């Protein structure tokens, strides 16, 4: 919602050629009731970027620490990203699957600074996944 509200200021004025979109972790605090609005908003963001001539790369939010965080339905929000990428033929970087399919020593917690934010190792892992998806790792 915040990005849509200020889309011209935050994004369109830069006329990007390539855009990396990673949204959903905080949106998921709206629970299942917010899922349809999230899907609509993410689709509109993608459409606006594409209409502006940008190549869009969608990213699935990474795992969260197993702690109460009001984000119990983040998995459903991740699925929205996957489905939008599939239906639009967009490049997808799935950080959730990357981290859970091949967790580091110490598990996912080794990649988190707190319950939801990646630490330096987590950010490095995300950057490596983006580079690999682009074929430039």
């Amino acid at each position: 919602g915040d990005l849509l509200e200020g889309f011209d200021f935050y994004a369109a004025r830069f006329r990007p050629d390539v855009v990396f979109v990673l949204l959903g972790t905080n949106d998921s605090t709206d629970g299942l009731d917010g899922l349809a609005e999230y899907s609509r908003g993410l689709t509109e963001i993608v459409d606006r970027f594409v209409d502006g001539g940008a190549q869009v790369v969608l990213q699935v939010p990474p795992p969260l620490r197993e702690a109460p965080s009001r984000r119990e339905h983040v998995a459903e929000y991740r699925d929205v990203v996957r489905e939008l990428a599939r239906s639009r033929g967009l490049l997808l970087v799935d950080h959730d699957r990357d981290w859970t399919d091949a967790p580091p020593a110490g598990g996912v917690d080794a990649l988190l600074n707190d319950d939801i934010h990646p630490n330096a190792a987590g950010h490095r892992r995300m950057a490596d996944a983006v580079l690999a998806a682009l074929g430039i790792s």
Side-chain angles (χ1 to χ4, degrees):
D2 292 340
L3 179 54
L4 282 173
E5 203 172 288
F7 189 82
D8 289 334
F9 177 78
Y10 292 122
R13 68 185 172 126
F14 300 107
R15 296 188 300 275
D17 294 318
V18 179
V19 177
F20 295 83
V21 179
L22 174 55
L23 300 169
T25 300
N26 290 334
D27 300 280
S28 72
T29 62
D30 291 335
L32 294 177
D33 292 340
L35 199 55
E37 181 62 22
Y38 170 73
S39 179
R40 186 203 63 75
L42 185 61
T43 300
E44 184 175 340
I45 287 167
V46 167
D47 288 344
R48 285 186 182 190
F49 279 127
V50 169
D51 290 347
Q55 168 93 27
V56 177
V57 178
L58 288 177
Q59 298 180 79
V60 175
L64 309 176
R65 189 167 283 147
E66 293 294 327
S69 66
R70 298 184 7 249
R71 292 169 177 85
E72 293 81 14
H73 296 286
V74 70
E76 289 87 349
Y77 285 71
R78 290 183 185 119
D79 287 341
V80 167
V81 179
R82 292 179 182 117
E83 175 54 28
L84 182 57
R86 188 204 58 75
S87 69
R88 298 292 177 90
L90 300 173
L91 186 60
L92 179 71
V93 180
D94 194 329
H95 298 295
D96 179 56
R97 290 193 177 137
D98 175 52
W99 289 24
T100 57
D101 288 352
V108 169
D109 282 353
L111 300 173
L112 292 169
N113 190 47
D114 57 24
D115 291 341
I116 64 172
H117 298 101
N119 60 22
H123 281 285
R124 173 62 189 262
R125 176 90 177 235
M126 292 171 71
D128 287 344
V130 168
L131 293 173
L134 296 174
I136 57 175
S137 61

